[in-house]
Amino acid sequence: MRHILFSLSLSIVLVGCGGNGDSTKPPLSASSDSSTSSSVAVSKSSSSISSVLTATSSSPSSQSSVSSVASSTASSLPFTFTSNSFVSGANIPTKFSCYGAGVSPHLQWEIISSDIKSFALIMEDYDAVAIAGHPYVHWAVYNIPADTREITEGATLNAMPTGSQQAINHDDTYRYSPVCPPEGTGNHRYYFTLYALNTANLAVDLNHVLERSQFEALYASAIIQKVDIFGSYIYR
């Protein structure tokens, strides 16, 4: 998250909440660099998706890597979301932060349905709300082809799935913005949410930042299911 200037009790504090890739970033963090895979699965019914998804996405206090709501239909789709770069619920390695190489993490998923026409991905820092006043979007990818099941490590710069579109984030870049919690702000949780959509060409403004709750409210009718994983990072 880029640097943010705000005032509180007549004091002026300059705080940076995300990776901007410049040469002024702090020294290398000492957070854990273990890299193993993790897995979650959820199902949603499209009939109740608008109110349900907005509610689950606006809950920064949740520690769970699974967002789940009972389906109002008899059937549901198994939907798993994993990463070889970090364990969901555990620390994100320094390699994927602004204190390290700042590369985008590996992501992969499994779901089977002929109704799915594309996927969308949004990554947010929930714990930035206290600093920025809203969840901080680090990465947004739309119109990921329906047959895609993986985004490789470091893909944001040159190897995104063909046809996918990276939208602007809160750092004003059209790519993955590495995790970068500012010193003194404690542990930050970064949620990666994947949406299975019923449209192949989502009409979305790539020049406008959409938080997860905003995306879910605007495109509720297009969302078949969603799944998320999260990793933590703290400046040490």
Side-chain angles (χ1 to χ4, degrees):
M1 183 183 301
R2 59 185 175 179
H3 287 83
I4 300 171
L5 186 65
F6 64 94
S7 61
L8 178 62
S9 301
L10 302 181
S11 297
I12 299 177
V13 181
L14 184 64
V15 183
C17 297
N20 60 11
D22 60 27
S23 60
T24 62
K25 64 186 179 184
L28 187 67
S29 167
S31 66
S32 171
D33 283 347
S34 63
S35 300
T36 53
S37 63
S38 57
S39 163
V40 296
V42 300
S43 64
K44 301 282 188 295
S45 67
S46 55
S47 63
S48 60
I49 201 79
S50 180
S51 60
V52 162
L53 294 187
T54 300
T56 58
S57 69
S58 60
S59 176
S61 62
S62 172
Q63 295 290 343
S64 176
S65 62
V66 181
S67 295
S68 63
V69 177
S71 175
S72 62
T73 61
S75 62
S76 62
L77 298 173
F79 196 1
T80 62
F81 192 21
T82 67
S83 175
N84 292 336
S85 298
F86 64 94
V87 177
S88 184
N91 289 341
I92 295 175
T94 297
K95 178 179 183 180
F96 307 101
S97 78
C98 69
Y99 306 107
V103 298
S104 57
H106 165 269
L107 299 169
Q108 66 183 16
W109 56 93
E110 289 296 335
I111 188 170
I112 300 174
S113 173
S114 59
D115 293 330
I116 296 172
K117 306 304 179 185
S118 71
F119 297 94
L121 171 72
I122 298 178
M123 172 193 171
E124 278 185 348
D125 176 0
Y126 270 149
D127 297 292
V129 173
I131 302 168
H134 56 79
Y136 203 89
V137 176
H138 280 253
W139 200 14
V141 188
Y142 302 110
N143 294 319
I144 302 170
D147 60 354
T148 302
R149 292 297 181 270
E150 181 179 37
I151 296 177
T152 59
E153 183 178 304
T156 187
L157 295 179
N158 54 24
M160 292 298 292
T162 301
S164 63
Q165 298 173 297
Q166 296 184 93
I168 196 169
N169 55 39
H170 276 128
D171 276 347
D172 292 328
T173 63
Y174 294 81
R175 57 176 174 78
Y176 169 79
S177 180
V179 303
C180 195
E183 184 177 6
T185 62
N187 185 62
H188 284 237
R189 290 159 294 166
Y190 297 86
Y191 281 75
F192 298 76
T193 303
L194 185 69
Y195 301 91
L197 307 176
N198 62 15
T199 178
N201 296 293
L202 192 68
V204 60
D205 183 359
L206 301 178
N207 301 311
H208 179 72
V209 181
L210 280 180
E211 297 160 21
R212 298 195 319 166
S213 59
Q214 295 169 335
F215 175 80
E216 292 165 0
L218 284 172
Y219 299 103
S221 63
I223 299 172
I224 297 174
Q225 292 198 65
K226 80 166 187 175
V227 64
D228 59 32
I229 56 177
F230 80 96
S232 297
Y233 199 89
I234 185 171
Y235 176 87
R236 303 181 194 277

